[in-house]
Amino acid sequence: MSIYKLKINFEDKTKEPVELPIAAGEDVLDVCLDNGIQLQHNCGGVCGCSTCHVYVTAGMDNIQEISDKEEDFIDRAVRPRITSRLGCQCVVLSGDISVTIPDQSEFLGH
């Protein structure tokens, strides 16, 4: 199993960036939750809402392609960007990635 680096930045400036290991096949949401990082996930991480919305800032080529279903939910997220992905669908295939977690104090989707 290959292990890569997941760098997490936060819009909430009271939180320091962190770097965590992420294995091929793991998603950003699970790694965050396993390491005590708050990332909302109202649907339980099954691509049924937009609350685990993140911005991929580096390594977009190292994660699985976005699905039509995921794109539909991202459209419902607060302040989506071209680099927006759902943490539960942001599965690492090969290589390091960096993400920014939006401010979790506001509701992030439906």
Side-chain angles (χ1 to χ4, degrees):
M1 177 184 340
S2 297
I3 304 293
Y4 304 104
K5 292 178 189 170
L6 168 60
K7 182 172 183 184
I8 302 173
N9 296 296
F10 300 90
E11 278 189 345
D12 179 350
K13 296 303 178 199
T14 65
K15 296 182 179 179
E16 293 293 321
V18 296
E19 196 170 279
L20 300 168
I22 188 167
E26 280 190 299
D27 64 67
V28 169
L29 175 62
D30 286 341
V31 172
C32 286
L33 297 177
D34 289 346
N35 288 279
I37 297 171
Q38 172 62 28
L39 182 54
Q40 294 182 31
H41 54 289
N42 291 354
C43 73
V46 296
C47 196
C49 69
S50 63
T51 58
C52 67
H53 170 237
V54 298
Y55 304 119
V56 178
T57 56
M60 188 70 87
D61 291 338
N62 297 332
I63 57 177
Q64 72 182 17
E65 286 189 38
I66 194 168
S67 68
D68 290 340
K69 182 178 179 182
E70 182 182 0
E71 278 190 283
D72 288 344
F73 281 109
I74 287 172
D75 288 343
R76 301 174 194 179
V78 174
R79 293 183 309 279
R81 300 177 187 163
I82 193 76
T83 61
S84 291
R85 294 294 302 265
L86 299 181
C88 68
Q89 300 300 298
C90 197
V91 177
V92 170
L93 300 175
S94 64
D96 301 339
I97 65 168
S98 295
V99 301
T100 298
I101 296 179
D103 185 355
Q104 297 290 286
S105 66
E106 55 184 287
F107 183 68
L108 295 173
H110 308 289

